[in-house]
Amino acid sequence: MPFSQPTVIRSRRAVLPDGERPADVLIQDGRIARTAPHGSLAAREGELVDLGDTALLPGLVDTHVHVNEPGRTEWEGFATATRAAAAGGVTTIVDMPLNSIPPTTTVAGLALKRKAADGQAWVDLGFWGGAVPGNLADLEPLHQAGVFGFKSFLAPSGVDEFPHVEAADLEAALAEQARIGALAIIHAEDPAVLAAAPQQPGVHYRDFLASRPADAETAAVARLLDTARRTGARVHVLHVSSAAVLQLLRQAREDGVRVTAETCPHYLTLAAEQVPDGDTAFKCCPPIRDESNRDALWEALGRGEFIAVVSDHSPSTPDLKLLPEYGGSGDFAAAWGGIASLQLGLPAVWTEARRRGHTLADVVRWMSAGPAELVGLSGTKGAIAAGHDADLVAFDPDGGFAVRASGLHHRNPVTPYAGRTLTGAVRATWLRGREVDPAARPFGRQLARPQADPTRFTTATPIPSERA
């Protein structure tokens, strides 16, 4: 349940849609009733939570999370992932369709995913569907059932049950998604370029980086954009790691292609020059590139060329990462590729953003408002505004902390941020007006794409206390 009575949250640093300023925020029945000048809402308006100089942000929306349940829950599950999300100020996630078994490529697979998540979520969550070879007839039923769009890989995904699409598959999938009004989200690396790149196993990060060249991204994005032009599909490029694709995206937008793109905290805060040999916690696909590339991504972010900064949280068990401290070989070629950072994205991005002269309002635009807009939730998520869900974060922008495995809620506390000192600490997270307590029972809801058929997908899973 939300607060039992109206509540005012007061902060001298509230980040509102028109910028940061002192404000009072009135919460009623789990929603934001109104915002008002700082100190203007009297005690009679309700319980007062005064944050002082601690910033008040809208809850983050992370549209790129691999939860992996059911099927690979030992990698990550709904309980652990959503606790980590809440601890990191994330109040809404959208779960990727792969790494779970079965993948979310049919309505039956979606039903199993929903059942696995039921009663386990500390934050609100939705689901992506998958577009893979052979499931063209499943796309419209999945869309009607409430998935937020469809993910495809242009190169092998890393798991056999979610194959990548060839050119003909992509053409057909985008044409169908254009017909039904669905969003296509694409992992864009070109398999031919990857196959031609030097493949040198071992502990040297430079060898792994050479095996996933920037040309693989540019070739894949070019092919995607050509297909989007022909089909009229709305497309979104996932986890852009290479600044070389930016000009392609600019030109496509000028040509009228409906395309957006995202990047991730690890591409903005880490660099190839920093990766120690054998430290496969840094491995992801596409890879973390060099410092000059990172600078170019920041410049593009500042110009508004990315709609979102999202985690691409993709953990595995430590043995699959082949980390030497767990007895592994440190072989980048053989290790699982994925960064675990759901709990750390906000402080990681803020640490670097502040150093580069950006503001909390910028971070909110990239990590809350933008992702909410991407998936059609901007009417209820992503802003401290009247009528929105009271999803809020108390964030100390000056609080520093060293990342320790013992402080992470991820099922497997393996992260390239381990040992780093980050600036910015989440002090409290509220979901629909109720503070999230990981020791209490979860009350997150399952969300459907707006305008989905309500008879095919329940938009809100009752909280456990209401089911009992």
Side-chain angles (χ1 to χ4, degrees):
M1 296 292 289
F3 286 121
S4 59
Q5 61 178 327
T7 299
V8 173
I9 300 183
R10 177 173 294 164
S11 170
R12 294 189 185 93
R13 299 191 65 179
V15 181
L16 306 179
D18 59 354
E20 179 183 323
R21 66 173 186 269
D24 289 357
V25 178
L26 177 63
I27 299 169
Q28 292 179 312
D29 299 322
R31 290 187 178 270
I32 297 169
R34 63 188 171 109
T35 61
H38 186 273
S40 66
L41 297 182
R44 65 177 177 273
E45 299 282 358
E47 178 185 345
L48 175 64
V49 178
D50 193 339
L51 300 180
D53 291 325
T54 298
L56 182 65
L57 316 182
L60 304 192
V61 178
D62 193 334
T63 55
H64 197 147
V65 179
H66 294 268
V67 176
N68 307 331
E69 185 176 6
R72 291 189 174 95
T73 311
E74 69 275 14
W75 293 16
E76 187 70 280
F78 287 105
T80 49
T82 58
R83 278 200 302 268
V90 178
T91 52
T92 303
I93 67 171
V94 186
D95 176 47
M96 283 292 167
L98 74 157
N99 298 346
S100 55
I101 302 174
T104 314
T105 53
T106 64
V107 171
L110 174 63
L112 289 172
K113 179 83 69 144
R114 291 178 57 216
K115 182 178 179 180
D118 190 34
Q120 291 204 80
W122 267 263
V123 301
D124 287 355
L125 73 152
F127 304 100
W128 294 107
V132 297
N135 84 324
L136 198 65
D138 294 294
L139 302 187
E140 186 171 16
L142 274 165
H143 199 236
Q144 292 174 344
V147 298
F148 283 83
F150 296 94
K151 182 175 187 176
S152 295
F153 277 74
L154 303 189
S157 71
V159 292
D160 292 340
E161 65 275 2
F162 201 95
H164 71 287
V165 294
E166 303 286 356
D169 302 316
L170 178 66
E171 185 96 22
L174 290 192
E176 175 67 359
Q177 289 173 76
R179 184 186 73 82
I180 64 177
L183 171 63
I185 63 171
I186 307 295
H187 179 122
E189 289 182 286
D190 186 275
V193 175
L194 294 177
Q199 305 295 320
Q200 179 62 48
V203 300
H204 300 304
Y205 185 73
R206 65 177 180 271
D207 293 331
F208 169 66
L209 188 58
S211 75
R212 312 289 297 210
D215 287 351
E217 282 188 77
T218 54
V221 168
R223 176 157 62 96
L224 170 66
L225 294 174
D226 284 345
T227 310
R229 284 186 182 94
R230 288 194 299 274
T231 60
R234 178 186 168 212
V235 297
H236 176 74
V237 182
L238 298 167
H239 46 48
V240 170
S241 80
S242 169
V245 307
L246 295 171
Q247 182 55 41
L248 293 173
L249 295 172
R250 292 183 203 117
Q251 185 61 56
R253 293 187 190 104
E254 291 176 7
D255 294 344
V257 177
R258 296 186 297 160
V259 59
T260 53
E262 69 187 37
T263 192
C264 304
H266 41 279
Y267 301 131
L268 295 170
T269 64
L270 306 174
E273 292 89 341
Q274 303 168 346
V275 180
D277 285 349
D279 194 345
T280 51
F282 286 83
K283 181 182 176 179
C284 57
C285 299
I288 296 163
R289 304 194 187 276
D290 63 27
E291 291 178 355
S292 63
N293 179 83
R294 180 181 63 182
D295 291 342
L297 293 178
W298 273 104
E299 291 170 6
L301 185 62
R303 291 192 299 265
E305 296 189 43
F306 293 109
I307 194 172
V309 175
V310 289
S311 69
D312 189 11
H313 178 71
S314 185
S316 70
T317 52
D319 60 303
L320 294 178
K321 291 298 281 185
L322 302 181
L323 285 161
E325 58 264 41
Y326 290 94
S329 65
D331 184 346
F332 278 100
W336 174 258
I339 300 288
S341 64
L342 183 56
Q343 185 174 335
L344 300 171
L346 174 57
V349 170
W350 172 239
T351 299
E352 187 68 14
R354 186 165 77 164
R355 187 179 74 81
R356 292 172 180 265
H358 293 287
T359 66
L360 284 175
D362 293 329
V363 173
V364 164
R365 185 171 66 255
W366 303 330
M367 303 186 77
S368 187
E373 178 186 352
L374 174 69
V375 294
L377 292 176
S378 55
T380 55
K381 306 288 187 183
I384 301 176
H388 280 58
D389 290 344
D391 298 349
L392 302 165
V393 180
F395 182 68
D396 179 357
D398 301 315
F401 68 100
V403 178
R404 299 283 181 255
S406 60
L408 298 178
H409 291 275
H410 309 152
R411 183 177 297 276
N412 296 289
V414 174
T415 177
Y417 296 101
R420 290 174 176 263
T421 297
L422 301 179
T423 301
V426 172
R427 301 303 187 197
T429 300
W430 292 271
L431 178 66
R432 284 173 278 105
R434 181 177 175 182
E435 187 170 355
V436 179
D437 178 359
R441 302 180 76 179
F443 56 95
R445 293 177 177 171
Q446 295 186 23
L447 306 175
R449 174 185 57 83
Q451 287 82 54
D453 182 349
T455 67
R456 302 190 62 140
F457 191 101
T458 302
T459 61
T461 298
I463 65 173
S465 61
E466 292 176 346
R467 289 203 309 269

